[in-house]
Amino acid sequence: MKRRLTVVIIFFVFFHSGFSQSFEIKGIVKDERTNDVMPFVNVLLLAASDSSQVSGTVTDIDGGFELSSVKRGSYLLRVQFIGYKELIKVIEFSEQLNLGNLYIREEAQDLNEVVVQARRSTATQKGDTTLFNADAFKTMKDASAQALIEKLPGVSSDGGALQAQGENIAQILIDGKPFFGNDVTAALQNIPAEMIQSIEIFDQLSEKAQLSGFDDGERQKTINIITKPDRRKGQFGKTTAGYGSENRYLGAASINIFDEDTRLTITGLSNNVNILNYSADPNAQTNVSPQEGVITTNLIGANYTDTWGEKIKVTGSYTFTRTENLGIENRVREFITSNEENQFYQENSRDVRINNRHQANLRLEYQIDEKNRILYIPRFSARFENEVSGFEGQTTQGEDLINAVENSRLGEYGDFDLFNRFYYSHKFDKPGRTFTTRLNFSTNWNKDESTRQAVNTFFNESGAEEEILDQLTTRDRRGGSWNVRLSYTEPVGENGQMEFEYSIGNRNDRSDQLLFNVISELAPNNQLQLDTALSNTFENSFLRNQFEWGYQYKKDNFRVQAELEYQDARLDNNQFFPTPEVLNRVFTNFLPTVRMEYKLTPRTNIQLDYDTYTNEPNVGQLQAAINNNNPLQLRTGNPNLDQAFTNQFRLRFRSNNPDKDQNWFLFAQSRMTNNFISNSTFIADSPIDIGNGIILQQGAQLNRPINLDGFREFRSWFSYGMPLGFIKSNLSLNTGLGITQRPGQVNDEIGFNNSNRYSAGFNISSNISENIDFNLWSRSSYNQVNNTLNPRLSNDFFQQRFRVNFNWIIWKGIIYRMDVNHQINNGLADGFDATFTLVNMSLGKKLFKNERGEISIMVYDLLGQNANVRRRITETYIEDFQSNVLQRYAMLTFTYNLRRFSKGLQEKEVQEMFSGN
């Protein structure tokens, strides 16, 4: 494989060398009258001899354009935009050419002339960034940014997560600045679609990579929403209040105050209809997949963005959320064994969890001068949870009942996390010479206390044996980490750059788990008796040194980067209780990395990445104490765990044809892991002492993590988008393939759980008008699962999901909304092959002259079929489970949309906005 990779690199280098005499042409297109930059303008480069097209592009959001790989000679530059006079400029050059500002003049229009309207181009590709023109996608007047973004080719919602180009969207930027931290849903639902001028989708590099110019492979799928210039100063938002049957209620508000760079957003929410983020859409519950349980949420949040002076930029957000979730679940778990008769575990559970969570994010950037920059990013979270739960479970093998359990629990849990990241970068006078340092330090604390009563019954030939437990468990975990990374880059020749990097860091964890048996016969002050077999106290330290050298070559359309890292890691694990034990481990690895990018055309590029990385076990996986939350399925850690070592290959291909409005995207990734941290299950066929006096009864299990080789994963995703002119809509097609091989161990026998997933889907979104809006979405998947230990567990299952979202302003502000979700599940366990249709429907009336208000009546789950069924595949079992969900109710709601913009509006727009206020 390494030899093949080397051949590919050499091929690209030599192939690229043939274009060494090509140059770039740059410029900015502006409106001659207003001096505003002009995005989405066609720029064509024609041969002077015969006017044949040599190259072409579309200007970006800042009006800029760049034509690459142009040979020296004479050309005609043609600039075209609907409603403007064509600009033709004769150019001749033999070196890099920057044309500066190019001005185009609005064309005077004869009132009697025939106006031909052309369809606006939806997107253009600029390197690894896909830029969408928001005006090319029609939405309802009061739609949110999420409604607009879900219309974009390559964007879909899968399992409640919004995805772009096959990967989960990690963050939302507004005009290049973070908005609501990593809460993608909150960010999208607080921005109206009518404010958006364009949308960028790209893989954002890490802060360190942006500062140094060296790609470290840490990327986040990012959406940058660019707002219209005349919507950057004003107040906007929405409020909703509603009450319905079954005492269902909803109250929410979102207020945004924008003044160019100064921006403040405040949100509040209170409801018992499973809405986790505020949206004015009456069918908001369907913005994500059906949540497990019935949820009451109270939320307040704020996001602040500003520029302090000329050198300091600040962005921060804070959210407090209180949720109460009533969950009821039924699950069937089929274990992987080598026995002829399969073993099943069935469980019915019910729990109530009250969760209070604080989250805060800050980003402070200080540009000291042109060469020096400081960046500080702290994050804070605190969670406090109360639990009242219980479950009943039983294990069977064939027709025989092996064991059963009745369990109830009361618990209080607290988590505290503080993370800080600090950057400093310096650019030297010589271009390409930089110094960057990064400092991370964090602290975390976790404290739990729970009581549990359980009755365990074990069945054998002589009858049933009963065990009664009454226990108190306390867990105190504290930890912290720090890391310092130094990076120096040096230019090599005209197109090369080297990087030298050193990193050192340490992670410390301490864990105290104490389990007490409650002995009712003892005196009240002595009823707690420590169970040393189920208690454990230890601490560990993980010190890591990394040395890295890298080289990058970049010219015109080609970039290649190679790095080699040497890693030395030392694990020191000290157990203090119940018996003193010391474990010291040393890990050394060489980690190569290769990244290539080639721009085939101005609108088509391909990226190839090869990465290697390690994963060390966490504190829970190392702790050897027995966890008996479920006495039929005990769990313990493994202090002897090694690091996992992964090789990863990744391919991205992007292409866009603005003339035909077609775009393609391909994503493929393969991972191979040695020392994969898997699961080992021991199933007792008779009572057995597993140490310290703990008896594993017949049919009970002991699970612990273990290192196994052989983990393999491949997944791919392909999408194609095009317009459907005959129905004024956009079509997006997608297909995917996933192949996974998971090693596992059952009773000392190693086997592999192999699964193949084939998926295909489509999305049709309307582009008709503001009065009619629909979105049809479908995704089908066929799954094959087989196991080498027990071929009888092999089975196939099929899942199909179809959604229709339809909105129609019928007449004089009367609006009808319908949202239909249909799901088919075939091939799951008995009783889980649920096919259901969730229908939400509402009828409303716009109010006031400006139609900013709306009153509506909505019915949720009109057919009463709502359900939540899922399948989970692991190394040692296949599980199907179903949870309770929100059921049918009707609600009367009132919504008001605030829109007050004070800059750049036309007179007609001002009259429409303020009339009726």
Side-chain angles (χ1 to χ4, degrees):
M1 188 65 200
K2 292 182 179 179
R3 182 177 300 174
R4 291 179 182 177
L5 195 59
T6 303
V7 171
V8 172
I9 296 173
I10 295 173
F11 169 77
F12 273 117
V13 172
F14 278 96
F15 179 77
H16 175 264
S17 65
F19 296 91
S20 58
Q21 297 302 312
S22 60
F23 304 94
E24 294 179 351
I25 302 174
K26 298 180 179 180
I28 299 175
V29 179
K30 292 187 174 183
D31 185 302
E32 184 180 69
R33 182 178 62 86
T34 65
N35 200 40
D36 291 336
V37 297
M38 299 285 293
F40 307 110
V41 176
N42 291 321
V43 180
L44 304 177
L45 188 67
L46 311 177
S49 58
D50 58 4
S51 297
S52 61
Q53 183 173 334
V54 176
S55 183
T57 188
V58 178
T59 58
D60 59 25
I61 192 60
D62 298 316
F65 68 89
E66 178 180 314
L67 300 170
S68 304
S69 302
V70 181
K71 296 182 180 180
R72 60 167 58 96
S74 299
Y75 299 92
L76 298 176
L77 186 76
R78 176 179 292 172
V79 182
Q80 299 173 317
F81 193 69
I82 297 173
Y84 285 75
K85 288 185 177 180
E86 183 179 75
L87 172 66
I88 297 180
K89 186 178 182 66
V90 179
I91 58 175
E92 184 172 348
F93 69 99
S94 58
E95 57 184 11
Q96 309 287 9
L97 180 62
N98 190 335
L99 297 172
N101 295 329
L102 299 175
Y103 293 94
I104 58 177
R105 180 183 303 174
E106 198 167 2
E107 192 168 20
Q109 182 173 299
D110 190 338
L111 294 177
N112 295 321
E113 71 177 310
V114 178
V115 178
V116 179
Q117 292 185 338
R119 174 181 49 81
R120 297 192 179 190
S121 175
T122 61
T124 186
Q125 190 68 40
K126 306 286 287 186
D128 65 350
T129 299
T130 306
L131 179 65
F132 292 96
N133 177 9
D135 288 341
F137 301 89
K138 299 292 185 182
T139 61
M140 303 293 282
K141 189 175 181 180
D142 55 1
S144 68
Q146 180 165 335
L148 172 61
I149 286 175
E150 286 183 343
K151 288 177 174 285
L152 304 183
V155 176
S156 63
S157 181
D158 189 15
L162 195 64
Q163 294 186 334
Q165 302 171 345
E167 300 176 272
N168 288 348
I169 298 170
Q171 65 174 342
I172 301 295
L173 308 179
I174 305 295
D175 295 321
K177 300 173 183 177
F179 193 60
F180 270 99
N182 296 324
D183 194 336
V184 172
T185 304
L188 292 179
Q189 292 179 355
N190 277 283
I191 294 295
E194 64 188 81
M195 288 185 58
I196 302 175
Q197 178 169 293
S198 59
I199 299 163
E200 293 178 323
I201 299 179
F202 60 98
D203 297 313
Q204 187 175 59
L205 302 178
S206 69
E207 298 290 348
K208 179 261 176 186
Q210 295 178 55
L211 294 172
S212 68
F214 262 76
D215 185 358
D216 57 7
E218 296 181 14
R219 298 169 181 164
Q220 288 185 314
K221 184 65 68 176
T222 300
I223 288 182
N224 181 31
I225 294 176
I226 301 169
T227 59
K228 297 175 181 177
D230 59 4
R231 294 294 188 269
R232 296 175 182 172
K233 188 172 184 179
Q235 302 83 43
F236 61 93
K238 56 182 176 280
T239 60
T240 296
Y243 186 79
S245 61
E246 308 297 329
N247 292 321
R248 300 298 173 191
Y249 66 89
L250 168 64
S254 170
I255 304 299
N256 298 269
I257 304 172
F258 278 26
D259 187 1
E260 298 296 343
D261 290 333
T262 303
R263 301 178 177 183
L264 175 65
T265 300
I266 299 175
T267 61
L269 170 67
S270 180
N271 76 98
N272 61 356
V273 289
N274 283 30
I275 297 180
L276 304 181
N277 297 94
Y278 176 44
S279 169
D281 181 4
N283 299 322
Q285 294 88 342
T286 58
N287 286 334
V288 296
S289 61
Q291 297 97 346
E292 299 169 20
V294 177
I295 307 171
T296 299
T297 300
N298 294 282
L299 175 150
I300 186 168
N303 189 88
Y304 172 72
T305 301
D306 203 356
T307 299
W308 297 343
E310 298 181 354
K311 297 183 177 182
I312 299 178
K313 298 178 182 179
V314 60
T315 299
S317 65
Y318 166 78
T319 304
F320 169 74
T321 307
R322 177 183 172 87
T323 61
E324 181 175 343
N325 189 344
L326 169 61
I328 301 173
E329 286 188 354
N330 302 317
R331 67 182 67 232
V332 174
R333 183 177 295 178
E334 186 173 8
F335 294 106
I336 297 168
T337 68
S338 56
N339 297 332
E340 293 185 2
E341 292 185 320
N342 296 342
Q343 188 173 112
F344 291 87
Y345 173 74
Q346 295 178 291
E347 181 182 282
N348 300 320
S349 64
R350 176 187 177 94
D351 69 357
V352 176
R353 293 180 181 268
I354 299 176
N355 192 310
N356 295 280
R357 186 177 184 88
H358 302 265
Q359 288 181 289
N361 299 274
L362 180 67
R363 176 189 170 93
L364 188 65
E365 181 179 344
Y366 178 35
Q367 190 72 44
I368 303 173
D369 51 40
E370 294 182 355
K371 297 180 180 179
N372 296 280
R373 178 175 176 238
I374 292 175
L375 180 63
Y376 175 51
I377 306 175
R379 293 198 306 267
F380 165 79
S381 69
R383 179 185 67 92
F384 305 96
E385 184 177 79
N386 294 322
E387 173 196 8
V388 179
S389 66
F391 67 87
E392 297 177 355
Q394 63 179 28
T395 306
T396 59
Q397 186 163 329
E399 300 294 330
D400 299 328
L401 181 63
I402 300 176
N403 50 48
V405 60
E406 295 180 13
N407 191 98
S408 62
R409 171 185 292 272
L410 299 175
E412 295 183 358
Y413 314 105
D415 293 292
F416 173 89
D417 294 281
L418 177 63
F419 176 82
N420 295 272
R421 178 169 290 176
F422 177 87
Y423 293 92
Y424 168 73
S425 66
H426 174 75
K427 295 181 179 180
F428 295 88
D429 292 334
K430 186 175 183 179
R433 179 180 292 170
T434 67
F435 172 75
T436 306
T437 181
R438 184 188 75 181
L439 171 63
N440 294 344
F441 56 95
S442 66
T443 182
N444 56 80
W445 165 76
N446 168 259
K447 191 171 185 178
D448 305 337
E449 182 174 304
S450 61
T451 61
R452 190 265 301 270
Q453 289 80 38
V455 178
N456 309 317
T457 306
F458 302 94
F459 301 92
N460 50 51
E461 295 178 356
S462 58
E465 180 181 341
E466 193 174 85
E467 177 186 42
I468 298 177
L469 300 179
D470 190 356
Q471 297 173 331
L472 167 69
T473 301
T474 64
R475 183 181 293 111
D476 190 350
R477 291 178 176 175
R478 300 176 184 271
S481 66
W482 60 267
N483 177 271
V484 179
R485 185 182 295 267
L486 307 174
S487 170
Y488 174 79
T489 64
E490 178 69 22
V492 180
E494 294 183 0
N495 303 302
Q497 189 180 34
M498 283 196 303
E499 181 189 43
F500 301 93
E501 188 172 275
Y502 171 69
S503 172
I504 182 173
N506 193 18
R507 190 193 77 191
N508 292 282
D509 293 295
R510 179 182 176 91
S511 178
D512 295 279
Q513 176 175 300
L514 302 177
L515 187 144
F516 300 89
N517 292 310
V518 180
I519 311 299
S520 58
E521 293 83 3
L522 299 179
N525 295 332
N526 297 311
Q527 286 185 338
L528 297 182
Q529 186 177 76
L530 181 65
D531 191 330
T532 58
L534 299 176
S535 301
N536 177 273
T537 299
F538 79 98
E539 66 178 13
N540 65 46
S541 170
F542 193 86
L543 178 67
R544 177 156 42 190
N545 282 274
Q546 295 169 290
F547 303 86
E548 185 178 289
W549 172 85
Y551 174 76
Q552 182 184 91
Y553 178 85
K554 180 169 60 176
K555 186 177 181 183
D556 296 335
N557 299 331
F558 180 73
R559 177 180 68 88
V560 61
Q561 176 181 307
E563 295 174 291
L564 181 63
E565 177 183 300
Y566 171 74
Q567 182 184 104
D568 177 271
R570 301 176 183 273
L571 172 65
D572 297 317
N573 190 81
N574 296 314
Q575 177 177 290
F576 306 109
F577 182 83
T579 57
E581 293 183 11
V582 177
L583 174 66
N584 299 317
R585 307 292 298 276
V586 177
F587 311 99
T588 57
N589 291 289
F590 285 95
L591 305 174
T593 299
V594 178
R595 311 188 197 283
M596 291 190 296
E597 182 176 2
Y598 186 69
K599 189 184 295 184
L600 302 174
T601 71
R603 303 182 190 94
T604 303
N605 82 318
I606 185 171
Q607 292 178 328
L608 293 170
D609 292 344
Y610 167 67
D611 288 285
T612 54
Y613 57 89
T614 60
N615 287 323
E616 65 270 10
N618 60 42
V619 60
Q621 293 169 325
L622 293 168
Q623 189 173 28
I626 298 292
N627 182 326
N628 69 338
N629 286 342
N630 185 341
L632 306 185
Q633 299 167 18
L634 303 181
R635 300 198 63 85
T636 186
N638 181 1
N640 296 312
L641 285 176
D642 280 344
Q643 282 184 319
F645 185 95
T646 299
N647 290 271
Q648 177 176 280
F649 298 86
R650 182 177 293 171
L651 164 70
R652 293 182 177 91
F653 172 83
R654 304 174 178 90
S655 183
N656 173 264
N657 184 340
D659 296 330
K660 296 183 178 180
D661 235 357
Q662 298 172 335
N663 58 78
W664 301 264
F665 182 84
L666 172 65
F667 171 84
Q669 177 178 287
S670 176
R671 289 192 299 154
M672 295 165 286
T673 303
N674 292 328
N675 279 335
F676 177 70
I677 300 178
S678 182
N679 190 65
S680 174
T681 300
F682 177 75
I683 304 175
D685 55 9
S686 61
I688 184 174
D689 189 338
I690 59 175
N692 295 322
I694 299 176
I695 304 299
L696 192 67
Q697 298 290 343
Q698 180 180 355
Q701 300 178 8
L702 177 65
N703 297 277
R704 69 186 184 98
I706 189 175
N707 291 112
L708 294 175
D709 291 335
F711 176 85
R712 303 287 185 268
E713 181 187 64
F714 173 82
R715 63 186 183 95
S716 63
W717 191 85
F718 173 78
S719 72
Y720 168 71
M722 62 173 287
L724 296 177
F726 66 96
I727 57 172
K728 294 185 178 180
S729 300
N730 298 306
L731 171 67
S732 179
L733 303 174
N734 61 78
T735 183
L737 170 65
I739 302 173
T740 305
Q741 175 181 280
R742 294 177 176 272
Q745 187 179 67
V746 179
N747 286 5
D748 298 325
E749 292 188 57
I750 297 176
F752 294 91
N753 217 15
N754 302 313
S755 61
N756 300 330
R757 185 174 188 266
Y758 312 91
S759 65
F762 70 87
N763 183 46
I764 299 177
S765 58
S766 67
N767 213 14
I768 300 173
S769 73
E770 292 183 347
N771 294 326
I772 297 179
D773 185 27
F774 65 82
N775 198 346
L776 282 73
W777 180 90
S778 178
R779 176 73 63 84
S780 301
S781 64
Y782 179 70
N783 302 265
Q784 296 175 314
V785 181
N786 66 82
N787 185 269
T788 59
L789 274 182
N790 191 343
R792 291 183 305 282
L793 283 179
S794 302
N795 75 332
D796 301 341
F797 65 97
F798 173 78
Q799 185 178 71
Q800 201 274 336
R801 288 172 292 167
F802 180 74
R803 179 181 177 186
V804 179
N805 184 270
F806 179 76
N807 303 283
W808 179 25
I809 298 180
I810 302 173
W811 177 70
K812 291 188 177 182
I814 296 176
I815 183 169
Y816 170 74
R817 293 184 174 93
M818 180 183 67
D819 195 282
V820 179
N821 281 270
H822 180 67
Q823 184 165 319
I824 300 173
N825 299 291
N826 285 326
L828 305 184
D830 292 341
F832 287 86
D833 285 355
T835 297
F836 64 90
T837 303
L838 172 63
V839 179
N840 302 335
M841 196 175 295
S842 71
L843 185 66
K845 175 66 171 70
K846 295 290 185 180
L847 303 176
F848 313 127
K849 291 182 180 180
N850 58 13
E851 294 190 339
R852 296 300 183 195
E854 179 185 334
I855 187 168
S856 63
I857 180 71
M858 192 244 338
V859 178
Y860 177 80
D861 189 18
L862 180 65
L863 304 181
Q865 296 183 8
N866 192 19
N868 183 22
V869 180
R870 298 184 184 180
R871 164 161 285 196
R872 182 186 180 200
I873 301 173
T874 72
E875 303 87 4
T876 52
Y877 61 82
I878 298 174
E879 179 181 76
D880 296 321
F881 68 92
Q882 182 170 0
S883 66
N884 67 318
V885 290
L886 191 65
Q887 298 295 326
R888 180 168 50 200
Y889 69 90
M891 178 177 285
L892 180 68
T893 62
F894 172 76
T895 299
Y896 185 81
N897 289 275
L898 172 67
R899 300 287 188 272
R900 292 182 182 275
F901 297 101
S902 56
K903 185 177 181 180
L905 294 184
Q906 301 297 321
E907 182 179 354
K908 180 181 179 182
E909 292 178 297
V910 175
Q911 292 175 350
E912 291 178 351
M913 182 173 300
F914 292 102
S915 61
N917 284 355

